[in-house]
Each structure stands twice: as C-alpha cells, then as structure tokens.
Amino acid sequence: MVLIVDTVQVEAEHAEEYLELVQTLGVPMMTEAGAGFVSCATGKGYGEPIDIQVVWSFPDHGEWNRIRKTLVLDPRWHEYGSSTASLRLGGTSRFLYPTPFSPEA
C-alpha cells in the first residue's frame, strides 16, 4: 500500500471552509477515481495558522497513475484545486509507505 499525505496550512478563519471543500468535493472525487480515504485531521491554531492533514491510500504507483489520469480528466479536480489553492498558505504532499509493524501494513 502507498499513502499520499497532504499537509496544508490555512489561516484559522479559513479552516472550516477548507474542510468543507475536502468533504464535499475532495472525498467524493478522489474515492470515485479509486483512492481510499484514510483520514483528515486538523490542529487547533489558537490564533495562528492551522495545519490540515488529508491521507489517501492506493495499492501501488501504477494505480496512482491511473487515479491521477482520471482526476486530470475530471472538471471537478480543477475546481477543487483552484478553490483549495486560494485558501492555502503552504503545505506538502508526500508519498509514504506503512512500516512492517503498522496496523495498515
């Protein structure tokens, strides 16, 4: 299994809007394309920017290439990308792999 871990930073006042986009656009689109939704987590912020982490899974990089092609051809992907980009201050997207002792391995 491969995981994509997207971690973004948003201003505290935009956190709910970002989470709404993930829930209403991101999750349906990504799961329809074949990615597994693993989790979404957020920090509290306390007046500072908030980190939001969204994790997706798929069997291997060959499958990721198929998912990615499906997404690029989906008009919702472009809407989702531009909507979330306007709220992001920064972030990272990383491929990670469960360790042998991980419950998901």
Side-chain angles (χ1 to χ4, degrees):
M1 175 184 5
V2 181
L3 302 171
I4 286 189
V5 179
D6 293 321
T7 304
V8 300
Q9 193 171 65
V10 299
E11 293 290 356
E13 64 265 20
H14 297 298
E16 288 301 319
E17 183 180 359
Y18 192 93
L19 292 169
E20 179 74 15
L21 288 167
V22 171
Q23 182 180 12
T24 61
L25 290 176
V27 171
M29 178 186 51
M30 290 287 286
T31 56
E32 287 172 26
F37 176 64
V38 176
S39 66
C40 182
T42 182
K44 293 292 183 195
Y46 303 108
E48 296 180 358
I50 292 177
D51 291 324
I52 298 173
Q53 182 187 73
V54 183
V55 182
W56 307 97
S57 68
F58 44 91
D60 55 40
H61 287 280
E63 182 64 13
W64 172 243
N65 285 333
R66 190 196 63 71
I67 292 167
R68 198 168 52 155
K69 178 183 176 186
T70 300
L71 292 172
V72 169
L73 297 174
D74 187 335
R76 297 175 299 172
W77 176 250
H78 304 285
E79 176 188 355
Y80 178 69
S82 63
S83 297
T84 56
S86 69
L87 302 173
R88 278 195 314 266
L89 298 174
T92 61
S93 185
R94 302 285 187 257
F95 288 108
L96 297 177
Y97 309 88
T99 59
F101 57 88
S102 172
E104 296 292 322

